[in-house]
Amino acid sequence: MKGQTYVIIAIIFMIVVAIFAVTNVSPVQVNYFFWQVESPLILVILFSVLMGVIITAAVGMVKMFKMQKDLKSLRRKNDKLTQLFDKDKVEKLNETETDS
């Protein structure tokens, strides 16, 4: 259900951006560092949204990879602690059997 919510929100956002972009088709002058270009505002808006999506996705992927690395490390640590706990539990069980 959570994934469907994100998809619905993304679709609504894309529709709003598309409507906004289509209503702004007049040419505008875009100033870069050393030159100027005249381009339709719709292209400037869509390019800006696309770059925002790409940057957000890149940052999200870096965070996801870091979290996967941390998860793998924590799982290894958990496995070691579980083995140590099981070993200690067996030793205590053996001690109680020999005391009886």
Side-chain angles (χ1 to χ4, degrees):
M1 191 69 172
K2 187 176 182 181
Q4 290 175 347
T5 305
Y6 288 134
V7 170
I8 292 170
I9 290 172
I11 290 172
I12 291 171
F13 178 73
M14 288 189 313
I15 290 171
V16 169
V17 168
I19 291 170
F20 181 73
V22 169
T23 59
N24 292 295
V25 292
S26 59
V28 294
Q29 189 169 6
V30 180
N31 297 317
Y32 295 104
F33 290 109
F34 301 109
W35 68 90
Q36 298 175 349
V37 177
E38 193 166 300
S39 136
L41 185 56
I42 187 172
L43 293 179
V44 174
I45 292 169
L46 293 177
F47 180 74
S48 298
V49 169
L50 178 66
M51 292 306 296
V53 167
I54 290 171
I55 291 170
T56 302
V59 170
M61 288 179 66
V62 168
K63 187 175 181 179
M64 185 182 69
F65 286 137
K66 183 184 179 306
M67 288 173 55
Q68 284 179 345
K69 181 181 173 186
D70 292 344
L71 179 63
K72 193 180 287 186
S73 171
L74 289 171
R75 282 188 176 158
R76 273 191 245 117
K77 187 174 181 179
N78 187 23
D79 289 342
K80 286 180 184 178
L81 289 173
T82 302
Q83 289 174 354
L84 183 63
F85 178 75
D86 290 341
K87 184 179 177 183
D88 188 45
K89 195 174 178 183
V90 168
E91 287 176 2
K92 284 185 179 181
L93 183 64
N94 288 337
E95 288 176 5
T96 57
E97 287 178 357
T98 55
D99 290 341
S100 309

